[in-house]
Amino acid sequence: MTSSESCYDGLLGQCRNCGDNGNCQCGWSMNGHNDLLPMDRRRFGGNVLMCPISMLYIYLIHGLSLFFSVALAPSVVNALRSQAETARQQRLHLLRHRPIRLLLFLSLALLMNAAFSLTKMVEPSLLLGVDWVPTAFYVSRVVAINSAGLLHVIHCLEVYLTSREFQEGREEVQLMLARQSNMALAQFFTSDLLAMSPLVGAGLVKSGHNYSRELQQYLTVGFLILECVRLSASSARWALSLRGVRTLFNERIASLDQEIE
């Protein structure tokens, strides 16, 4: 027998199928295993407040994510082999060859993404920002992607600024490159720190802290705000680096046109 009273009725949603034991009665394939802010509060001594998560959705989203991670892996491996051959021809140590470092970070990002998606499909009760395993996979993925992005941005800066040595002078260009590279480093290290915010929640749970729903709500809102800031800043940096490469390309085209004339 169920009651018409809601187990939870608030900003986050509502449950109208509340059992006599105070737990929301989840339908087939539904549960309360939200990342960051779980609605299944039984591990914290509470009740199942809502059932907003569909396992069909979880299997679809993370299944696609796992598929693309596996599908892209051979291309990354082939690119690594090609760049390793290039490094050997240039007599460079493999890790001193920037494309190899970038591809290694991409490989790590694919591996962590596959591990995160597989974890969510196999054991959906393991939650980001609550449990160490999915949180570690998520943070490692973001750090790897940021590291690959940092190497790409620095490469674009070098290509663009080095091409201007004739106009600006080598010393001035080197100063500009150092300044821009330091700015990129600061941004990406900040991005990494912001992405690590779910570790706070996982740490509180692991330490046995009284992790209330209210505290989780504050941390979840903070995480979402920080993610917006992080993604906006990263997108702006990528756009600027691409604009620099596009400007260089246009300058080269204009130079070739003048030589032809």
Side-chain angles (χ1 to χ4, degrees):
M1 179 177 180
T2 60
S3 169
S4 61
E5 290 184 355
S6 299
C7 290
Y8 177 84
D9 183 2
L11 181 64
L12 302 176
Q14 187 179 57
C15 173
R16 293 186 179 277
N17 189 23
C18 189
D20 292 335
N21 58 359
N23 290 313
C24 188
Q25 304 299 300
C26 298
W28 178 77
S29 83
M30 304 297 291
N31 59 58
H33 298 314
N34 307 59
D35 285 324
L36 302 171
L37 181 58
M39 289 293 103
D40 187 337
R41 309 293 301 176
R42 287 176 293 186
R43 71 162 73 183
F44 304 109
N47 296 324
V48 180
L49 303 181
M50 288 194 303
C51 309
I53 302 299
S54 168
M55 285 308 301
L56 297 178
Y57 174 82
I58 293 294
Y59 288 139
L60 175 62
I61 297 300
H62 289 289
L64 287 173
S65 179
L66 179 60
F67 169 78
F68 285 117
S69 294
V70 174
L72 289 172
S75 298
V76 175
V77 171
N78 289 335
L80 273 170
R81 289 174 178 169
S82 175
Q83 291 298 329
E85 181 62 28
T86 300
R88 281 191 289 268
Q89 291 174 359
Q90 297 177 357
R91 297 184 178 180
L92 291 173
H93 188 280
L94 292 181
L95 293 181
R96 291 184 64 85
H97 190 48
R98 184 178 294 142
I100 287 182
R101 299 202 303 273
L102 190 152
L103 289 167
L104 286 175
F105 280 123
L106 285 180
S107 300
L108 178 61
L110 289 176
L111 179 62
M112 291 298 100
N113 187 66
F116 180 77
S117 295
L118 190 60
T119 299
K120 297 299 293 182
M121 295 171 66
V122 173
E123 188 50 73
S125 63
L126 292 177
L127 307 177
L128 171 65
V130 178
D131 298 290
W132 280 117
V133 171
T135 303
F137 288 151
Y138 170 84
V139 172
S140 298
R141 180 185 65 185
V142 173
V143 170
I145 292 173
N146 283 347
S147 300
L150 173 62
L151 290 173
H152 172 74
V153 167
I154 290 177
H155 176 71
C156 290
L157 286 170
E158 282 190 357
V159 171
Y160 174 64
L161 292 175
T162 302
S163 69
R164 303 183 65 86
E165 283 187 358
F166 181 75
Q167 297 95 331
E168 307 288 344
R170 180 176 178 79
E171 184 176 348
E172 181 64 25
V173 165
Q174 291 301 317
L175 288 173
M176 292 170 62
L177 178 59
R179 183 166 57 250
Q180 292 294 324
S181 296
N182 288 335
M183 289 176 60
L185 278 168
Q187 178 185 324
F188 281 103
F189 281 137
T190 302
S191 180
D192 286 345
L193 289 174
L194 295 181
M196 292 179 185
S197 56
L199 292 173
V200 175
L204 289 173
V205 173
K206 185 68 175 178
S207 65
H209 189 273
N210 182 19
Y211 201 11
S212 66
R213 180 166 57 84
E214 289 73 19
L215 178 56
Q216 284 183 327
Q217 286 180 187
Y218 291 136
L219 290 177
T220 300
V221 171
F223 169 77
L224 295 176
I225 293 173
L226 292 176
E227 277 294 278
C228 288
V229 172
R230 184 180 70 82
L231 293 174
S232 297
S234 297
S235 299
R237 172 57 67 177
W238 274 85
L240 288 173
S241 66
L242 292 176
R243 187 177 69 178
V245 173
R246 191 179 302 113
T247 301
L248 173 61
F249 179 77
N250 291 334
E251 289 176 353
R252 290 293 175 86
I253 293 296
S255 177
L256 289 174
D257 288 342
Q258 290 178 358
E259 291 178 5
I260 294 174
E261 293 176 358

Short mmCIF file of all heavy atoms in Angstrom, two decimals, residues 178-227:
data_model
loop_
_atom_site.label_atom_id
_atom_site.label_comp_id
_atom_site.label_asym_id
_atom_site.label_seq_id
_atom_site.Cartn_x
_atom_site.Cartn_y
_atom_site.Cartn_z
N ALA A 178 56.91 33.39 -24.35
CA ALA A 178 57.00 33.02 -22.93
C ALA A 178 55.80 33.56 -22.15
O ALA A 178 55.23 32.86 -21.31
CB ALA A 178 58.30 33.55 -22.34
N ARG A 179 55.42 34.81 -22.44
CA ARG A 179 54.30 35.42 -21.73
C ARG A 179 52.98 34.70 -22.03
O ARG A 179 52.21 34.37 -21.13
CB ARG A 179 54.20 36.90 -22.11
CG ARG A 179 53.11 37.65 -21.36
CD ARG A 179 53.26 39.15 -21.51
NE ARG A 179 53.25 39.57 -22.91
CZ ARG A 179 54.31 40.03 -23.56
NH1 ARG A 179 55.48 40.12 -22.95
NH2 ARG A 179 54.22 40.40 -24.83
N GLN A 180 52.75 34.43 -23.32
CA GLN A 180 51.51 33.75 -23.71
C GLN A 180 51.48 32.31 -23.20
O GLN A 180 50.43 31.81 -22.78
CB GLN A 180 51.38 33.76 -25.24
CG GLN A 180 51.13 35.12 -25.84
CD GLN A 180 49.78 35.69 -25.42
OE1 GLN A 180 48.81 34.98 -25.28
NE2 GLN A 180 49.75 37.00 -25.20
N SER A 181 52.63 31.65 -23.20
CA SER A 181 52.69 30.27 -22.70
C SER A 181 52.41 30.23 -21.20
O SER A 181 51.72 29.33 -20.71
CB SER A 181 54.06 29.66 -22.99
OG SER A 181 54.28 29.56 -24.39
N ASN A 182 52.94 31.19 -20.46
CA ASN A 182 52.67 31.25 -19.02
C ASN A 182 51.20 31.50 -18.74
O ASN A 182 50.63 30.93 -17.80
CB ASN A 182 53.52 32.34 -18.37
CG ASN A 182 54.99 31.96 -18.31
OD1 ASN A 182 55.34 30.78 -18.30
ND2 ASN A 182 55.87 32.95 -18.26
N MET A 183 50.57 32.34 -19.55
CA MET A 183 49.14 32.58 -19.39
C MET A 183 48.35 31.31 -19.65
O MET A 183 47.39 30.98 -18.93
CB MET A 183 48.68 33.69 -20.34
CG MET A 183 49.16 35.08 -19.96
SD MET A 183 48.70 36.34 -21.19
CE MET A 183 46.92 36.21 -21.15
N ALA A 184 48.74 30.56 -20.69
CA ALA A 184 48.06 29.30 -21.01
C ALA A 184 48.25 28.29 -19.88
O ALA A 184 47.30 27.58 -19.49
CB ALA A 184 48.59 28.74 -22.33
N LEU A 185 49.48 28.22 -19.34
CA LEU A 185 49.74 27.31 -18.23
C LEU A 185 48.88 27.65 -17.02
O LEU A 185 48.28 26.77 -16.39
CB LEU A 185 51.22 27.38 -17.84
CG LEU A 185 52.20 26.56 -18.68
CD1 LEU A 185 53.63 26.97 -18.37
CD2 LEU A 185 52.01 25.07 -18.43
N ALA A 186 48.80 28.93 -16.69
CA ALA A 186 48.00 29.36 -15.53
C ALA A 186 46.53 29.01 -15.73
O ALA A 186 45.86 28.53 -14.81
CB ALA A 186 48.15 30.87 -15.32
N GLN A 187 46.03 29.22 -16.96
CA GLN A 187 44.62 28.92 -17.21
C GLN A 187 44.33 27.44 -17.10
O GLN A 187 43.34 27.03 -16.47
CB GLN A 187 44.23 29.41 -18.60
CG GLN A 187 42.77 29.07 -18.94
CD GLN A 187 42.42 29.45 -20.36
OE1 GLN A 187 42.89 30.46 -20.86
NE2 GLN A 187 41.59 28.64 -20.99
N PHE A 188 45.20 26.61 -17.67
CA PHE A 188 44.92 25.19 -17.66
C PHE A 188 45.14 24.57 -16.29
O PHE A 188 44.42 23.64 -15.90
CB PHE A 188 45.75 24.47 -18.73
CG PHE A 188 45.18 24.63 -20.11
CD1 PHE A 188 45.73 25.52 -21.01
CD2 PHE A 188 44.07 23.90 -20.50
CE1 PHE A 188 45.20 25.68 -22.28
CE2 PHE A 188 43.52 24.04 -21.76
CZ PHE A 188 44.09 24.93 -22.66
N PHE A 189 46.09 25.09 -15.50
CA PHE A 189 46.24 24.60 -14.14
C PHE A 189 45.02 24.99 -13.29
O PHE A 189 44.55 24.21 -12.46
CB PHE A 189 47.52 25.14 -13.51
CG PHE A 189 48.76 24.42 -13.96
CD1 PHE A 189 49.91 25.11 -14.28
CD2 PHE A 189 48.78 23.03 -14.05
CE1 PHE A 189 51.05 24.44 -14.70
CE2 PHE A 189 49.91 22.35 -14.46
CZ PHE A 189 51.05 23.06 -14.78
N THR A 190 44.52 26.19 -13.53
CA THR A 190 43.30 26.63 -12.84
C THR A 190 42.13 25.74 -13.23
O THR A 190 41.31 25.35 -12.39
CB THR A 190 42.98 28.10 -13.16
OG1 THR A 190 44.10 28.91 -12.79
CG2 THR A 190 41.74 28.56 -12.42
N SER A 191 42.04 25.42 -14.52
CA SER A 191 40.98 24.55 -15.01
C SER A 191 41.06 23.18 -14.34
O SER A 191 40.05 22.60 -13.96
CB SER A 191 41.07 24.40 -16.53
OG SER A 191 40.06 23.57 -17.03
N ASP A 192 42.27 22.66 -14.20
CA ASP A 192 42.44 21.37 -13.52
C ASP A 192 41.95 21.43 -12.08
O ASP A 192 41.27 20.52 -11.60
CB ASP A 192 43.92 20.95 -13.54
CG ASP A 192 44.37 20.48 -14.91
OD1 ASP A 192 43.50 20.20 -15.76
OD2 ASP A 192 45.59 20.40 -15.13
N LEU A 193 42.30 22.52 -11.38
CA LEU A 193 41.88 22.66 -9.99
C LEU A 193 40.37 22.74 -9.87
O LEU A 193 39.76 22.13 -8.98
CB LEU A 193 42.53 23.90 -9.37
CG LEU A 193 44.04 23.82 -9.11
CD1 LEU A 193 44.57 25.17 -8.63
CD2 LEU A 193 44.36 22.73 -8.10
N LEU A 194 39.74 23.48 -10.79
CA LEU A 194 38.28 23.60 -10.76
C LEU A 194 37.62 22.25 -11.02
O LEU A 194 36.59 21.92 -10.42
CB LEU A 194 37.81 24.61 -11.81
CG LEU A 194 38.26 26.06 -11.60
CD1 LEU A 194 37.71 26.95 -12.71
CD2 LEU A 194 37.80 26.58 -10.24
N ALA A 195 38.21 21.45 -11.91
CA ALA A 195 37.63 20.15 -12.25
C ALA A 195 37.74 19.16 -11.09
O ALA A 195 37.04 18.14 -11.07
CB ALA A 195 38.32 19.58 -13.48
N MET A 196 38.62 19.45 -10.13
CA MET A 196 38.83 18.54 -9.01
C MET A 196 37.82 18.74 -7.89
O MET A 196 37.88 18.04 -6.87
CB MET A 196 40.25 18.71 -8.45
CG MET A 196 41.33 18.24 -9.40
SD MET A 196 42.99 18.49 -8.71
CE MET A 196 44.01 17.99 -10.10
N SER A 197 36.88 19.67 -8.06
CA SER A 197 35.92 19.94 -6.99
C SER A 197 35.11 18.72 -6.55
O SER A 197 34.77 18.61 -5.36
CB SER A 197 34.98 21.08 -7.40
OG SER A 197 34.32 20.79 -8.61
N PRO A 198 34.76 17.75 -7.44
CA PRO A 198 34.05 16.56 -6.95
C PRO A 198 34.83 15.75 -5.93
O PRO A 198 34.24 14.97 -5.17
CB PRO A 198 33.80 15.75 -8.23
CG PRO A 198 33.78 16.75 -9.33
CD PRO A 198 34.81 17.75 -8.93
N LEU A 199 36.16 15.91 -5.92
CA LEU A 199 36.96 15.19 -4.92
C LEU A 199 36.61 15.61 -3.50
O LEU A 199 36.77 14.82 -2.56
CB LEU A 199 38.45 15.43 -5.18
CG LEU A 199 39.05 14.82 -6.45
CD1 LEU A 199 40.48 15.30 -6.66
CD2 LEU A 199 39.00 13.31 -6.40
N VAL A 200 36.11 16.85 -3.37
CA VAL A 200 35.73 17.32 -2.02
C VAL A 200 34.59 16.47 -1.48
O VAL A 200 34.64 16.00 -0.33
CB VAL A 200 35.31 18.80 -2.08
CG1 VAL A 200 34.81 19.27 -0.71
CG2 VAL A 200 36.47 19.67 -2.54
N GLY A 201 33.56 16.26 -2.31
CA GLY A 201 32.42 15.45 -1.87
C GLY A 201 32.83 14.02 -1.57
O GLY A 201 32.43 13.45 -0.54
N ALA A 202 33.63 13.43 -2.47
CA ALA A 202 34.08 12.05 -2.24
C ALA A 202 34.91 11.94 -0.96
O ALA A 202 34.80 10.96 -0.22
CB ALA A 202 34.87 11.56 -3.44
N GLY A 203 35.71 12.97 -0.70
CA GLY A 203 36.52 12.96 0.50
C GLY A 203 35.68 13.06 1.76
O GLY A 203 35.97 12.39 2.77
N LEU A 204 34.62 13.86 1.72
CA LEU A 204 33.74 13.99 2.88
C LEU A 204 33.03 12.67 3.18
O LEU A 204 32.89 12.27 4.34
CB LEU A 204 32.70 15.09 2.63
CG LEU A 204 33.22 16.53 2.63
CD1 LEU A 204 32.12 17.49 2.22
CD2 LEU A 204 33.75 16.91 4.01
N VAL A 205 32.59 11.99 2.13
CA VAL A 205 31.92 10.70 2.32
C VAL A 205 32.90 9.67 2.88
O VAL A 205 32.59 8.93 3.81
CB VAL A 205 31.32 10.19 1.00
CG1 VAL A 205 30.77 8.77 1.16
CG2 VAL A 205 30.22 11.12 0.52
N LYS A 206 34.11 9.63 2.31
CA LYS A 206 35.11 8.66 2.75
C LYS A 206 35.51 8.88 4.20
O LYS A 206 35.77 7.92 4.95
CB LYS A 206 36.35 8.77 1.85
CG LYS A 206 37.42 7.73 2.13
CD LYS A 206 36.96 6.34 1.76
CE LYS A 206 38.08 5.33 1.93
NZ LYS A 206 37.63 3.95 1.62
N SER A 207 35.55 10.13 4.62
CA SER A 207 35.97 10.45 5.99
C SER A 207 34.86 10.23 7.01
O SER A 207 35.09 10.40 8.21
CB SER A 207 36.46 11.90 6.06
OG SER A 207 35.39 12.80 5.81
N GLY A 208 33.65 9.88 6.54
CA GLY A 208 32.54 9.66 7.45
C GLY A 208 31.87 10.93 7.91
O GLY A 208 31.11 10.93 8.88
N HIS A 209 32.15 12.03 7.20
CA HIS A 209 31.55 13.31 7.56
C HIS A 209 30.03 13.26 7.40
O HIS A 209 29.51 12.55 6.55
CB HIS A 209 32.13 14.41 6.67
CG HIS A 209 31.75 15.79 7.07
ND1 HIS A 209 30.59 16.41 6.64
CD2 HIS A 209 32.38 16.70 7.89
CE1 HIS A 209 30.52 17.61 7.14
NE2 HIS A 209 31.59 17.83 7.91
N ASN A 210 29.33 14.02 8.22
CA ASN A 210 27.87 14.10 8.11
C ASN A 210 27.51 14.87 6.85
O ASN A 210 27.33 16.09 6.86
CB ASN A 210 27.29 14.81 9.35
CG ASN A 210 25.77 14.87 9.30
OD1 ASN A 210 25.13 14.11 8.57
ND2 ASN A 210 25.20 15.77 10.08
N TYR A 211 27.42 14.15 5.75
CA TYR A 211 27.26 14.76 4.43
C TYR A 211 25.77 14.93 4.14
O TYR A 211 25.13 14.08 3.54
CB TYR A 211 27.93 13.86 3.39
CG TYR A 211 28.28 14.55 2.09
CD1 TYR A 211 28.22 15.93 1.96
CD2 TYR A 211 28.69 13.82 0.99
CE1 TYR A 211 28.56 16.55 0.78
CE2 TYR A 211 29.03 14.42 -0.19
CZ TYR A 211 28.96 15.78 -0.30
OH TYR A 211 29.29 16.39 -1.47
N SER A 212 25.21 16.05 4.56
CA SER A 212 23.78 16.29 4.43
C SER A 212 23.41 16.64 3.00
O SER A 212 24.26 17.03 2.18
CB SER A 212 23.36 17.44 5.35
OG SER A 212 23.96 18.65 4.92
N ARG A 213 22.12 16.52 2.69
CA ARG A 213 21.65 16.87 1.35
C ARG A 213 21.85 18.36 1.08
O ARG A 213 22.16 18.77 -0.04
CB ARG A 213 20.17 16.51 1.20
CG ARG A 213 19.59 16.85 -0.17
CD ARG A 213 18.25 16.16 -0.36
NE ARG A 213 17.31 16.51 0.68
CZ ARG A 213 16.54 17.60 0.68
NH1 ARG A 213 16.63 18.46 -0.32
NH2 ARG A 213 15.68 17.83 1.66
N GLU A 214 21.70 19.18 2.10
CA GLU A 214 21.89 20.62 1.93
C GLU A 214 23.33 20.94 1.53
O GLU A 214 23.58 21.74 0.64
CB GLU A 214 21.52 21.37 3.22
CG GLU A 214 20.03 21.40 3.54
CD GLU A 214 19.50 20.07 4.03
OE1 GLU A 214 20.33 19.22 4.46
OE2 GLU A 214 18.27 19.86 3.98
N LEU A 215 24.28 20.29 2.19
CA LEU A 215 25.69 20.51 1.86
C LEU A 215 25.98 20.02 0.44
O LEU A 215 26.70 20.68 -0.32
CB LEU A 215 26.59 19.79 2.86
CG LEU A 215 28.10 19.90 2.62
CD1 LEU A 215 28.54 21.36 2.54
CD2 LEU A 215 28.87 19.15 3.71
N GLN A 216 25.41 18.88 0.08
CA GLN A 216 25.60 18.36 -1.27
C GLN A 216 25.00 19.31 -2.31
O GLN A 216 25.55 19.47 -3.40
CB GLN A 216 24.97 16.98 -1.41
CG GLN A 216 25.81 15.89 -0.76
CD GLN A 216 25.20 14.51 -0.96
OE1 GLN A 216 23.99 14.36 -1.01
NE2 GLN A 216 26.06 13.50 -1.06
N GLN A 217 23.88 19.93 -1.97
CA GLN A 217 23.27 20.89 -2.90
C GLN A 217 24.20 22.07 -3.14
O GLN A 217 24.39 22.50 -4.28
CB GLN A 217 21.92 21.37 -2.35
CG GLN A 217 20.81 20.36 -2.45
CD GLN A 217 19.50 20.88 -1.89
OE1 GLN A 217 18.53 20.15 -1.76
NE2 GLN A 217 19.43 22.14 -1.53
N TYR A 218 24.79 22.59 -2.07
CA TYR A 218 25.71 23.72 -2.21
C TYR A 218 26.92 23.33 -3.06
O TYR A 218 27.35 24.09 -3.95
CB TYR A 218 26.18 24.20 -0.83
CG TYR A 218 25.11 24.86 0.01
CD1 TYR A 218 24.97 24.56 1.36
CD2 TYR A 218 24.21 25.77 -0.56
CE1 TYR A 218 23.99 25.16 2.14
CE2 TYR A 218 23.22 26.37 0.20
CZ TYR A 218 23.11 26.06 1.55
OH TYR A 218 22.13 26.65 2.30
N LEU A 219 27.48 22.13 -2.80
CA LEU A 219 28.63 21.69 -3.57
C LEU A 219 28.28 21.43 -5.03
O LEU A 219 29.08 21.70 -5.94
CB LEU A 219 29.22 20.42 -2.94
CG LEU A 219 29.93 20.61 -1.59
CD1 LEU A 219 30.41 19.27 -1.05
CD2 LEU A 219 31.09 21.58 -1.71
N THR A 220 27.07 20.93 -5.27
CA THR A 220 26.63 20.67 -6.65
C THR A 220 26.48 21.97 -7.42
O THR A 220 26.93 22.09 -8.56
CB THR A 220 25.30 19.90 -6.66
OG1 THR A 220 25.48 18.65 -5.98
CG2 THR A 220 24.84 19.64 -8.08
N VAL A 221 25.84 22.96 -6.81
CA VAL A 221 25.69 24.26 -7.46
C VAL A 221 27.05 24.88 -7.72
O VAL A 221 27.33 25.43 -8.80
CB VAL A 221 24.82 25.21 -6.59
CG1 VAL A 221 24.84 26.62 -7.15
CG2 VAL A 221 23.40 24.70 -6.53
N GLY A 222 27.95 24.78 -6.72
CA GLY A 222 29.30 25.30 -6.90
C GLY A 222 30.03 24.61 -8.04
O GLY A 222 30.70 25.25 -8.85
N PHE A 223 29.87 23.27 -8.12
CA PHE A 223 30.51 22.52 -9.20
C PHE A 223 30.00 22.96 -10.56
O PHE A 223 30.78 23.16 -11.49
CB PHE A 223 30.23 21.03 -9.00
CG PHE A 223 30.62 20.17 -10.17
CD1 PHE A 223 31.95 19.86 -10.40
CD2 PHE A 223 29.67 19.69 -11.04
CE1 PHE A 223 32.32 19.08 -11.48
CE2 PHE A 223 30.02 18.90 -12.13
CZ PHE A 223 31.36 18.59 -12.35
N LEU A 224 28.69 23.13 -10.70
CA LEU A 224 28.12 23.53 -11.98
C LEU A 224 28.59 24.93 -12.39
O LEU A 224 28.88 25.17 -13.57
CB LEU A 224 26.58 23.49 -11.90
CG LEU A 224 25.97 22.10 -11.69
CD1 LEU A 224 24.46 22.20 -11.54
CD2 LEU A 224 26.34 21.17 -12.85
N ILE A 225 28.68 25.84 -11.43
CA ILE A 225 29.18 27.19 -11.73
C ILE A 225 30.64 27.13 -12.17
O ILE A 225 31.03 27.75 -13.16
CB ILE A 225 29.01 28.11 -10.50
CG1 ILE A 225 27.52 28.36 -10.23
CG2 ILE A 225 29.74 29.44 -10.73
CD1 ILE A 225 27.26 29.13 -8.95
N LEU A 226 31.43 26.37 -11.43
CA LEU A 226 32.86 26.24 -11.77
C LEU A 226 33.05 25.58 -13.13
O LEU A 226 33.94 25.96 -13.90
CB LEU A 226 33.59 25.44 -10.70
CG LEU A 226 33.73 26.10 -9.32
CD1 LEU A 226 34.39 25.15 -8.34
CD2 LEU A 226 34.53 27.40 -9.43
N GLU A 227 32.18 24.61 -13.47
CA GLU A 227 32.27 23.96 -14.78
C GLU A 227 31.96 24.96 -15.90
O GLU A 227 32.61 24.94 -16.95
CB GLU A 227 31.30 22.78 -14.86
CG GLU A 227 31.83 21.51 -14.25
CD GLU A 227 33.02 20.95 -15.03
OE1 GLU A 227 32.81 20.26 -16.04
OE2 GLU A 227 34.16 21.21 -14.60
#
